[in-house]
Amino acid sequence: MSKPSTSVDVVRISTKGPGDVSGLLRLIETGQIAPETIVAILGKTEGNGGVNDFTREYAMAALCEALSQHLKLTPRAVEDKIALVMSGGTEGVLSPHLTVFTRTPAAQGANGAGGKRLSIGIAHTRDFLPEEIGRVIQIEETVAAVHAAMRDAGIDDASEVHFVQIKCPLLTSERIEAAAHRGRKTITTGAYASMAYSRGASALGVARALGEIDGAIEEERILKDWDLFSSVASCSAGIELMHNTVIVMGNSDFSLSPFVIGHAVMRDSIDLSSVIEALKSAGLGLADAQSPERLANIFAKAEASPDGCVRGFRHTMLDDSDVGSTRHARAAVGGLIGGLSGTGAVYVSGGAEHQGPPGGGPVAVIARV
Amino acid sequence: MSKPSTSVDVVRISTKGPGDVSGLLRLIETGQIAPETIVAILGKTEGNGGVNDFTREYAMAALCEALSQHLKLTPRAVEDKIALVMSGGTEGVLSPHLTVFTRTPAAQGANGAGGKRLSIGIAHTRDFLPEEIGRVIQIEETVAAVHAAMRDAGIDDASEVHFVQIKCPLLTSERIEAAAHRGRKTITTGAYASMAYSRGASALGVARALGEIDGAIEEERILKDWDLFSSVASCSAGIELMHNTVIVMGNSDFSLSPFVIGHAVMRDSIDLSSVIEALKSAGLGLADAQSPERLANIFAKAEASPDGCVRGFRHTMLDDSDVGSTRHARAAVGGLIGGLSGTGAVYVSGGAEHQGPPGGGPVAVIARV
Amino acid sequence: MSKPSTSVDVVRISTKGPGDVSGLLRLIETGQIAPETIVAILGKTEGNGGVNDFTREYAMAALCEALSQHLKLTPRAVEDKIALVMSGGTEGVLSPHLTVFTRTPAAQGANGAGGKRLSIGIAHTRDFLPEEIGRVIQIEETVAAVHAAMRDAGIDDASEVHFVQIKCPLLTSERIEAAAHRGRKTITTGAYASMAYSRGASALGVARALGEIDGAIEEERILKDWDLFSSVASCSAGIELMHNTVIVMGNSDFSLSPFVIGHAVMRDSIDLSSVIEALKSAGLGLADAQSPERLANIFAKAEASPDGCVRGFRHTMLDDSDVGSTRHARAAVGGLIGGLSGTGAVYVSGGAEHQGPPGGGPVAVIARV
Amino acid sequence: MSKPSTSVDVVRISTKGPGDVSGLLRLIETGQIAPETIVAILGKTEGNGGVNDFTREYAMAALCEALSQHLKLTPRAVEDKIALVMSGGTEGVLSPHLTVFTRTPAAQGANGAGGKRLSIGIAHTRDFLPEEIGRVIQIEETVAAVHAAMRDAGIDDASEVHFVQIKCPLLTSERIEAAAHRGRKTITTGAYASMAYSRGASALGVARALGEIDGAIEEERILKDWDLFSSVASCSAGIELMHNTVIVMGNSDFSLSPFVIGHAVMRDSIDLSSVIEALKSAGLGLADAQSPERLANIFAKAEASPDGCVRGFRHTMLDDSDVGSTRHARAAVGGLIGGLSGTGAVYVSGGAEHQGPPGGGPVAVIARV
């Protein structure tokens, strides 16, 4: 076998605020995390998850600053080396936290127990221009990045991919104006609306890359044709970047990780049975799910059903001019998943356009074997 | 047996807006609901559930107006005859709806199947002065009203009471000023804060009335001593009244209703097992709960844990200056209960001060036998 | 002269809540307002001014109910007879109130003092289908309605029109779905966004009707080409109607009113000098403006500048995912106009698409001569 | 004369986000600001201004990090050397910006033109315990710090003090719990409410220090007795510190600054004439105020009148459960001051408890002579 074996570890760390890196530093100082092995950090921060949620970039700045000392890199170089995805919004019982993924080479043949184990791979697209966001070019660049991340993860088979996390850019008034000054029209002039377009195009890129959708996708189907979706894509838009960062998670023969990953697709925001199915797919029964020794974390996407109903009953998330629908949806799905896992420190992210069926979303579970 | 037997029916009706009474009128016109048998209507309306949530009084005005024609009463007299409790806030998957309770005399001995069945009773306190809200006098008046409502329900034994819904007043800037002009100090000068005081004092009144707490309760323990609570009280504050309306629900030998009621107490916002226990106490397994034929409705109280944590993990509900903590809590608990019952048309109400343990709250289930 | 002379009176009434009609009823009972002479009521209600602002329809229901007794009409017929425009949102110092316009025939020749005086006229369009909102057909129907309202006001000359208030419909999830079920596409699938489209198309209708814009307006210029605007249009979208209600105000030789109206156009949200100019155009100096005897009311439109800047300085209204930009804009312009007029009981309405230049809006002043 | 002369310069810099220090760095790199002369930076950041407004600490972290390189100090030491006050909330037309104050020794006798000029002085209190916030001890420590800052500014006469900016701490759930675990009770258990207590006690400290109030102030008068206030205090609460930072601004014979400062007191949120008076007190007429060459900045405090009215008209700021009253008040006063000064880049800060009369607040103007 020419491919080197790797091991992937997953650590969940609570934070006291968006700038709090003390928990991570403590684990580094006590030797529990070797900073140079960190490949990705997925965080939930306590902003509004909307356009003006600066907790995401604040958390990233604090993490880069803190890790720069340990890695002997500039903060900017840390950001290039480690895939940092901060998802804003910890409504309801959701609890701010970081999930740190490390990857280390492992002695071959050590995987005596056999079976595929958790693997992770990273890639980036180039920076997008404001007018490219939410259009076909964002889909296409994402396809290439997903394939690169699969290679990085040592996963050939799309069916072994269980979660693809993407961080993607959004439009601000300033960026929209900048495009306009160059004579270019952005896909929307609404900043909040642009988050949906960026997430949607990115998710369609995942679906294309994994063969969930065949053939080209026309621009007019983005945020329109809800039959097109990926069952494993999870996209968060943020003000702090202009490219897509892609993190592929799956199970691989080359991994010696003590963890496995599985997933299911929630058909709506109250799809209890799919969450149970996702737990099962990672080897967890209902009782195991509440054990912090077994459950590493749950990753789910939530959104307000675009038809205004959940199983025939009207919801009011889309008509609320005071609280954005992504805040509503995260709170609700966080309540359900928090109830099943016995903790609010789960990764529930809002805005599931083309990520799962309309009103639903992917839910992935990482569990210790 | 001297006591007349009664039957209680429960109908859940979706609404299209706070002023929508078309669903109720249709059931009246088709003979499915006899308007003169209506004793109580509990509704969820889609306002913010806070001080300036006018959807509650709008819904009440619309209901009184609509029923006044059928009952040949003035709208004001309708309000005196029927216990109307509108709870604002349908965050997340929660769906605006009305639950209509009717009560009819039934032929004695008809209860052939035996066993206690759903019974309901109503009472009111006098109007409170602004300075009385949230103080001992509100507790005491509530005790008397709960006892009156138990008698009305034909329930002697406090252990047969499974849910006590109270609608109570709140303070506005205007009411606080009015008290000040008379030289009186209200318990708080914050309108939003007054909702908590009013709910808290009302719940302590229930606890006293049912023997859950012995002896007098000093004013300084209200909203301070969280060891004091009722396991069945559910209180909603609203701008549209100055008295407490009390609705007692329980099981009685004198009822021939096709429904029974049971309850449990959620210890925190993610207490899955207590919701399952409440379902069981009304005779429902997990699969039955998703059947609209079996589940009449679930009634639950939600609140942000006052110590800032849920099972050791920090929540951010109390520190969010954009979205009130009651909105967060309703959305989260609504997500969990919605997941278990397969519908968002459940009655989840915010602000559970002295209603269940801190951070938790009562959850009652009405099921068809 | 064949045209009958009329007199128009204007009364401003504070309200204690969206359902409060006590002030109006008192004036009717004391004979200060003859209910059959009421032609229009413009109100500011204390909702969020967004999609789910039910204070508008609640206020309208309360007004129709109250006036139905005095007018011996059904509530529905009151709504047909009187132009009721409730504008939601009293942010900052803005104070909820009603402005009641009455019109009575007056003896000819009584206008001895000479000069044009305040006149008012009303018209309606037909109900729109959801898919017609924000499109050319809404513009065209509005043109016809403005002309009808001018005739009703006895104003021939477009330059004598100083304010055209329109109440127009919005899209909800339900209405969007209804159109989709009929195979029709609405101009947007966002409820909040639809309010802007409806206001914009209505304002362009005013501009066309008054000759401010020549020739046809293509659909793709709506909410895109900000050079197109009316200097006197003021449009509010509300959930409670499906047609446009048009109120034209101007000065007419046929009016014997003790009031005159004037206007100016604010170029941006801080355009102090235009507000001063509007006061002057109605005969008021800075000192007079603070006198309730002289100033009947000020009517202004406010919006967040779409380019993200006010006089070169970045504003944050469009990027705030917690508070809608119309709330921001009303609060700011309300602060400026409130400062100049010495009261928050002024009519400042949000969302000035095609109503004044981008970021600005019309400001009209009604003053006692 | 034994006292050395100083010169104070004032520079206003727009920012593109809370973490944006590029404007400041450019001025340092081009030599327009000598970093070692910076004594204070007052900023407006675009958060919600509430408990969970992390834009304040993010901006401070970014400023400390950026200046640490130029000053050869650790970020922590920068924070000790320079008084950094970030005030959250740029509602309405308000525009995020920094005002940088520098102080340099000046040749004696250079003040040929004569007259007092702008002077600035800084001091800190010790860190407070959570249970000390909002109590008499915070008042007393502030008195001492104000006196120290006056000495630092070279101002002996309290009547020459025109603005005292204080940054003070707030309570979070965590801090309240920490006190409770030590058996201590904080003045309030509400995080948002604690901001008012901290601002109020700090303002009373200023009033005591400047002789605006004689004698001791009992704890029960804090946030109760609104007759007690300072005419020059401006206090902002923030999550990022536990002590009070005090900045005294006034005019001094020892300053050779090209600027002077003046102030007035707004009696309510629409007090146009007091803003005009403040401009005049710094030598500016209405036309001058709109000139960026003359106006350095305006500093004002805004609050919702606690009696629920502005000049007899009801406002709705205190009863809005969706948008905090400080957001409303900043937007409104920002609109008025923005209109007068022709720019939204003014320092309007929310929550004026004991800072000016109830519903009003101090307004200070710094102008170039």
Side-chain angles (χ1 to χ4, degrees):
Chain A
M1 244 184 280
S2 58
K3 201 118 194 187
S5 291
T6 61
S7 184
V8 172
D9 204 6
V10 184
V11 183
R12 181 163 47 177
I13 305 167
S14 289
T15 57
K16 290 174 188 158
D20 176 31
V21 293
S22 62
L24 174 60
L25 290 182
R26 203 169 311 117
L27 291 176
I28 290 176
E29 279 151 21
T30 58
Q32 291 167 274
I33 289 179
E36 64 282 1
T37 66
I38 301 173
V39 288
I41 303 178
L42 269 66
K44 284 299 306 176
T45 61
E46 59 206 280
N48 60 26
V51 179
N52 63 331
D53 182 352
F54 299 100
T55 63
R56 294 177 302 228
E57 63 172 73
Y58 180 26
M60 286 185 62
L63 285 168
C64 288
E65 180 64 29
L67 289 171
S68 76
Q69 299 171 23
H70 287 279
L71 294 171
K72 316 284 178 217
L73 293 170
T74 63
R76 175 78 224 186
V78 172
E79 206 173 328
D80 290 341
K81 179 184 154 62
I82 300 176
L84 296 170
V85 178
M86 298 296 124
S87 161
T90 56
E91 292 80 7
V93 297
L94 293 173
S95 183
H97 70 282
L98 304 171
T99 307
V100 180
F101 295 86
T102 58
R103 190 169 62 177
T104 46
Q108 285 191 21
N111 189 358
K116 294 171 191 297
R117 295 297 177 84
L118 177 65
S119 184
I120 187 169
I122 315 289
H124 302 267
T125 68
R126 64 167 171 80
D127 275 8
F128 295 110
L129 293 167
E131 62 267 32
E132 292 178 330
I133 293 173
R135 299 194 194 269
V136 171
I137 186 70
Q138 194 179 14
I139 298 179
E140 286 170 4
E141 294 289 324
T142 302
V143 170
V146 170
H147 288 157
M150 284 176 67
R151 285 191 297 274
D152 187 45
I155 300 176
D156 301 322
D157 185 351
S159 74
E160 289 298 344
V161 174
H162 290 280
F163 199 64
V164 180
Q165 174 64 45
I166 291 185
K167 187 83 197 193
C168 54
L170 55 81
L171 295 173
T172 58
S173 306
E174 207 169 67
R175 290 169 187 174
I176 294 163
E177 274 300 294
H181 278 133
R182 285 184 289 103
R184 303 293 173 168
K185 234 177 84 176
T186 52
I187 191 98
T188 172
T189 55
Y192 189 74
S194 78
M195 301 175 78
Y197 275 101
S198 185
R199 289 187 298 251
S202 301
L204 291 172
V206 176
R208 279 281 311 285
L210 300 181
E212 299 177 281
I213 299 173
D214 283 333
I217 297 165
E218 302 77 18
E219 186 177 303
E220 56 271 26
R221 298 174 76 186
I222 303 174
L223 297 203
K224 291 285 174 353
D225 183 349
W226 299 120
D227 289 340
L228 303 178
F229 63 84
S230 167
S231 293
V232 295
S234 161
C235 309
S236 294
I239 203 171
E240 68 276 11
L241 81 178
M242 283 304 287
H243 63 271
N244 276 17
T245 296
V246 176
I247 305 174
V248 162
M249 298 185 204
N251 296 317
S252 164
D253 282 322
F254 301 105
S255 172
L256 307 176
S257 171
F259 297 96
V260 291
I261 185 169
H263 86 280
V265 180
M266 292 178 75
R267 284 154 303 172
D268 56 33
S269 296
I270 56 174
D271 190 359
L272 175 72
S273 58
S274 289
V275 183
I276 292 175
E277 181 194 332
L279 290 165
K280 229 177 253 174
S281 76
L284 298 181
L286 260 187
D288 307 320
Q290 305 235 352
S291 153
E293 276 72 46
R294 297 296 311 281
L295 180 71
N297 210 340
I298 299 189
F299 301 84
K301 286 300 296 191
E303 74 172 359
S305 174
D307 71 355
C309 285
V310 177
R311 294 197 202 168
F313 286 91
R314 183 171 69 100
H315 69 73
T316 61
M317 300 186 253
L318 293 171
D319 292 342
D320 190 337
S321 298
D322 290 309
V323 178
S325 66
T326 54
R327 303 200 74 173
H328 279 286
R330 275 190 299 268
V333 173
L336 177 58
I337 293 183
L340 284 166
S341 60
T343 174
V346 288
Y347 184 95
V348 176
S349 166
E353 303 82 0
H354 301 300
Q355 302 148 68
V363 52
V365 174
I366 299 180
R368 193 176 288 270
V369 177
Chain B
M1 244 185 282
S2 58
K3 199 115 194 189
S5 291
T6 62
S7 183
V8 172
D9 203 8
V10 184
V11 183
R12 180 162 49 176
I13 304 168
S14 288
T15 57
K16 291 175 189 157
D20 176 31
V21 294
S22 62
L24 174 59
L25 290 182
R26 202 168 313 118
L27 291 176
I28 289 176
E29 280 150 22
T30 58
Q32 291 166 274
I33 290 180
E36 64 282 2
T37 66
I38 301 173
V39 288
I41 303 178
L42 268 67
K44 284 300 306 177
T45 62
E46 59 205 281
N48 61 25
V51 178
N52 63 332
D53 182 353
F54 298 101
T55 64
R56 294 176 302 228
E57 64 172 70
Y58 180 25
M60 287 186 62
L63 285 168
C64 288
E65 180 64 29
L67 289 171
S68 76
Q69 300 171 21
H70 287 280
L71 294 172
K72 316 283 176 220
L73 291 172
T74 64
R76 176 77 225 186
V78 173
E79 206 174 329
D80 290 341
K81 178 183 155 64
I82 301 176
L84 296 169
V85 178
M86 297 298 124
S87 161
T90 56
E91 292 81 5
V93 297
L94 293 174
S95 184
H97 71 281
L98 304 171
T99 307
V100 179
F101 295 85
T102 59
R103 191 169 60 178
T104 46
Q108 284 192 21
N111 190 359
K116 295 173 191 295
R117 294 296 176 85
L118 177 66
S119 185
I120 188 169
I122 315 289
H124 302 267
T125 68
R126 63 166 171 82
D127 275 9
F128 294 110
L129 293 167
E131 62 267 30
E132 292 178 331
I133 293 172
R135 299 193 194 271
V136 171
I137 185 71
Q138 193 179 13
I139 299 178
E140 286 170 5
E141 294 289 326
T142 302
V143 170
V146 170
H147 288 158
M150 284 175 68
R151 285 191 297 274
D152 186 46
I155 300 176
D156 300 322
D157 184 351
S159 74
E160 289 298 345
V161 174
H162 291 279
F163 199 65
V164 181
Q165 174 63 46
I166 292 184
K167 187 82 197 193
C168 53
L170 56 81
L171 295 173
T172 58
S173 306
E174 206 168 69
R175 291 168 187 174
I176 293 164
E177 274 299 294
H181 278 133
R182 285 183 288 102
R184 303 293 174 168
K185 236 176 83 174
T186 52
I187 191 96
T188 172
T189 54
Y192 189 74
S194 78
M195 300 176 79
Y197 275 103
S198 184
R199 288 187 299 250
S202 300
L204 291 172
V206 176
R208 279 282 310 286
L210 301 182
E212 298 177 282
I213 299 172
D214 284 333
I217 296 164
E218 299 79 19
E219 185 176 305
E220 56 270 28
R221 299 173 77 186
I222 302 173
L223 295 204
K224 291 284 175 348
D225 183 350
W226 299 120
D227 290 340
L228 302 178
F229 63 83
S230 166
S231 293
V232 295
S234 163
C235 309
S236 293
I239 203 172
E240 67 278 11
L241 79 179
M242 283 305 287
H243 63 272
N244 276 16
T245 295
V246 176
I247 306 173
V248 162
M249 297 185 204
N251 296 317
S252 165
D253 283 321
F254 301 106
S255 171
L256 307 177
S257 171
F259 296 96
V260 291
I261 185 168
H263 85 279
V265 180
M266 293 176 75
R267 283 151 305 171
D268 55 34
S269 297
I270 55 173
D271 190 358
L272 174 72
S273 58
S274 289
V275 183
I276 293 175
E277 182 194 332
L279 289 167
K280 229 179 253 174
S281 77
L284 299 181
L286 259 187
D288 307 319
Q290 306 235 352
S291 154
E293 276 72 46
R294 296 295 312 282
L295 180 70
N297 210 342
I298 299 188
F299 301 84
K301 287 298 297 189
E303 75 172 358
S305 173
D307 71 354
C309 284
V310 177
R311 295 201 201 163
F313 286 92
R314 182 171 70 98
H315 69 73
T316 61
M317 299 187 253
L318 293 170
D319 292 343
D320 190 337
S321 299
D322 290 309
V323 178
S325 66
T326 54
R327 302 201 75 173
H328 278 287
R330 273 189 301 267
V333 173
L336 177 58
I337 292 182
L340 284 165
S341 59
T343 174
V346 289
Y347 185 95
V348 176
S349 165
E353 304 82 1
H354 301 300
Q355 301 148 68
V363 52
V365 174
I366 299 181
R368 194 175 288 271
V369 177
Chain C
M1 246 184 280
S2 58
K3 200 118 193 186
S5 291
T6 61
S7 183
V8 172
D9 203 7
V10 184
V11 183
R12 181 162 49 177
I13 305 168
S14 289
T15 56
K16 290 175 188 159
D20 176 30
V21 293
S22 62
L24 174 60
L25 290 182
R26 203 168 311 117
L27 291 176
I28 289 176
E29 281 151 21
T30 57
Q32 290 167 274
I33 289 180
E36 63 281 2
T37 66
I38 300 174
V39 288
I41 303 178
L42 270 66
K44 284 300 305 178
T45 62
E46 59 206 281
N48 61 25
V51 179
N52 63 330
D53 182 351
F54 299 100
T55 63
R56 293 177 302 227
E57 64 173 71
Y58 180 26
M60 285 185 63
L63 285 169
C64 289
E65 180 64 29
L67 289 171
S68 77
Q69 299 170 22
H70 287 280
L71 294 172
K72 316 284 178 218
L73 293 171
T74 63
R76 177 76 225 187
V78 172
E79 206 174 328
D80 290 341
K81 178 183 154 64
I82 300 176
L84 296 170
V85 178
M86 298 297 124
S87 161
T90 56
E91 292 80 5
V93 297
L94 293 174
S95 183
H97 71 281
L98 304 171
T99 307
V100 180
F101 294 85
T102 59
R103 190 169 62 177
T104 46
Q108 283 192 20
N111 190 358
K116 293 172 192 296
R117 294 297 177 84
L118 177 65
S119 185
I120 187 169
I122 315 290
H124 302 268
T125 68
R126 64 167 170 80
D127 275 8
F128 294 111
L129 293 167
E131 61 267 31
E132 292 178 329
I133 292 172
R135 299 193 194 270
V136 170
I137 186 70
Q138 193 179 14
I139 299 179
E140 286 169 5
E141 294 289 325
T142 302
V143 170
V146 170
H147 287 157
M150 283 176 68
R151 284 191 298 274
D152 187 45
I155 300 177
D156 301 321
D157 184 352
S159 74
E160 289 298 343
V161 173
H162 291 279
F163 198 64
V164 181
Q165 175 64 45
I166 291 184
K167 187 82 196 194
C168 54
L170 55 80
L171 296 173
T172 59
S173 307
E174 206 168 69
R175 292 168 186 175
I176 294 163
E177 274 299 294
H181 278 133
R182 285 183 287 103
R184 304 293 172 168
K185 235 176 84 174
T186 53
I187 190 96
T188 173
T189 54
Y192 190 74
S194 78
M195 300 175 78
Y197 275 102
S198 185
R199 288 186 300 250
S202 301
L204 291 172
V206 176
R208 279 282 311 284
L210 301 182
E212 299 177 281
I213 299 173
D214 284 332
I217 297 165
E218 301 77 20
E219 186 177 303
E220 55 271 28
R221 298 173 77 186
I222 302 173
L223 295 204
K224 291 284 174 351
D225 183 349
W226 299 120
D227 291 340
L228 302 179
F229 63 84
S230 166
S231 293
V232 296
S234 163
C235 309
S236 293
I239 204 171
E240 69 276 11
L241 79 179
M242 282 305 287
H243 63 272
N244 275 17
T245 296
V246 176
I247 306 173
V248 163
M249 297 185 205
N251 296 318
S252 165
D253 281 323
F254 301 105
S255 171
L256 307 176
S257 170
F259 297 96
V260 291
I261 184 168
H263 86 279
V265 180
M266 293 177 75
R267 283 153 304 172
D268 56 33
S269 296
I270 56 174
D271 190 358
L272 174 72
S273 58
S274 289
V275 184
I276 293 175
E277 182 194 330
L279 289 166
K280 229 178 253 177
S281 76
L284 298 181
L286 259 186
D288 307 319
Q290 306 237 349
S291 153
E293 276 72 45
R294 295 297 312 281
L295 181 71
N297 210 340
I298 299 188
F299 301 85
K301 287 299 296 188
E303 75 172 358
S305 174
D307 70 355
C309 284
V310 178
R311 294 198 201 165
F313 286 91
R314 183 172 70 100
H315 69 74
T316 61
M317 299 187 253
L318 292 170
D319 293 343
D320 189 338
S321 298
D322 290 309
V323 178
S325 66
T326 54
R327 303 200 74 173
H328 279 286
R330 275 189 299 267
V333 172
L336 178 57
I337 292 182
L340 284 166
S341 59
T343 175
V346 287
Y347 185 95
V348 176
S349 165
E353 303 82 1
H354 302 301
Q355 302 148 67
V363 52
V365 174
I366 298 181
R368 193 176 288 271
V369 178
Chain D
M1 244 185 283
S2 59
K3 200 118 194 188
S5 291
T6 62
S7 182
V8 172
D9 203 7
V10 184
V11 184
R12 180 163 48 176
I13 304 167
S14 288
T15 57
K16 290 174 189 159
D20 176 31
V21 294
S22 62
L24 174 60
L25 290 182
R26 202 168 312 116
L27 291 176
I28 289 176
E29 280 150 22
T30 58
Q32 290 166 273
I33 290 179
E36 63 281 1
T37 66
I38 301 173
V39 288
I41 303 178
L42 269 67
K44 284 299 305 176
T45 62
E46 59 206 281
N48 60 26
V51 178
N52 63 331
D53 182 351
F54 299 100
T55 63
R56 294 176 302 227
E57 64 173 72
Y58 179 26
M60 286 185 64
L63 285 168
C64 289
E65 181 64 28
L67 289 171
S68 76
Q69 300 171 22
H70 287 279
L71 294 172
K72 317 284 177 216
L73 291 171
T74 64
R76 176 77 224 185
V78 173
E79 205 174 329
D80 290 341
K81 178 184 155 64
I82 301 176
L84 296 169
V85 178
M86 298 297 124
S87 162
T90 56
E91 292 81 6
V93 296
L94 293 173
S95 184
H97 71 281
L98 303 172
T99 307
V100 180
F101 294 85
T102 58
R103 190 169 61 178
T104 46
Q108 283 191 22
N111 189 356
K116 293 172 192 295
R117 294 297 176 85
L118 177 65
S119 185
I120 187 169
I122 314 290
H124 301 268
T125 68
R126 62 166 171 80
D127 275 9
F128 294 110
L129 292 167
E131 62 267 31
E132 291 178 332
I133 292 172
R135 300 194 194 271
V136 171
I137 185 71
Q138 193 179 15
I139 299 178
E140 285 170 4
E141 294 289 325
T142 302
V143 170
V146 171
H147 287 157
M150 284 175 68
R151 285 191 298 274
D152 187 45
I155 300 175
D156 300 321
D157 185 352
S159 73
E160 290 297 345
V161 174
H162 290 279
F163 199 64
V164 181
Q165 174 63 45
I166 291 185
K167 187 83 196 192
C168 54
L170 57 81
L171 296 173
T172 59
S173 307
E174 205 168 69
R175 291 168 187 174
I176 293 163
E177 274 300 294
H181 278 133
R182 285 183 289 103
R184 304 294 174 168
K185 236 176 83 175
T186 53
I187 191 98
T188 172
T189 55
Y192 189 74
S194 78
M195 301 176 78
Y197 275 102
S198 185
R199 288 187 300 251
S202 301
L204 291 172
V206 176
R208 279 281 312 285
L210 301 181
E212 299 177 281
I213 299 172
D214 284 332
I217 297 165
E218 301 79 17
E219 186 177 303
E220 57 269 28
R221 299 174 75 187
I222 303 173
L223 295 203
K224 291 283 174 353
D225 183 350
W226 298 120
D227 290 339
L228 303 178
F229 64 83
S230 166
S231 294
V232 295
S234 162
C235 308
S236 293
I239 204 171
E240 68 276 10
L241 80 179
M242 283 304 288
H243 63 272
N244 277 16
T245 295
V246 176
I247 306 174
V248 162
M249 298 185 205
N251 296 317
S252 164
D253 282 322
F254 301 105
S255 171
L256 306 177
S257 171
F259 296 96
V260 291
I261 186 169
H263 86 278
V265 180
M266 293 176 74
R267 284 152 302 172
D268 55 35
S269 295
I270 56 173
D271 190 358
L272 175 73
S273 59
S274 288
V275 183
I276 293 175
E277 181 194 331
L279 289 166
K280 230 179 253 176
S281 77
L284 298 182
L286 259 186
D288 307 321
Q290 306 236 352
S291 154
E293 276 73 46
R294 296 297 311 282
L295 180 72
N297 210 341
I298 299 188
F299 301 84
K301 287 300 295 191
E303 75 172 0
S305 174
D307 70 356
C309 284
V310 177
R311 294 199 202 164
F313 286 92
R314 182 171 70 100
H315 68 74
T316 61
M317 300 187 253
L318 294 170
D319 292 343
D320 190 337
S321 298
D322 290 309
V323 178
S325 66
T326 53
R327 302 201 75 172
H328 278 287
R330 274 190 301 268
V333 173
L336 177 57
I337 293 182
L340 285 166
S341 59
T343 174
V346 289
Y347 185 95
V348 176
S349 165
E353 304 82 1
H354 301 301
Q355 301 148 67
V363 52
V365 174
I366 299 181
R368 195 175 287 271
V369 177

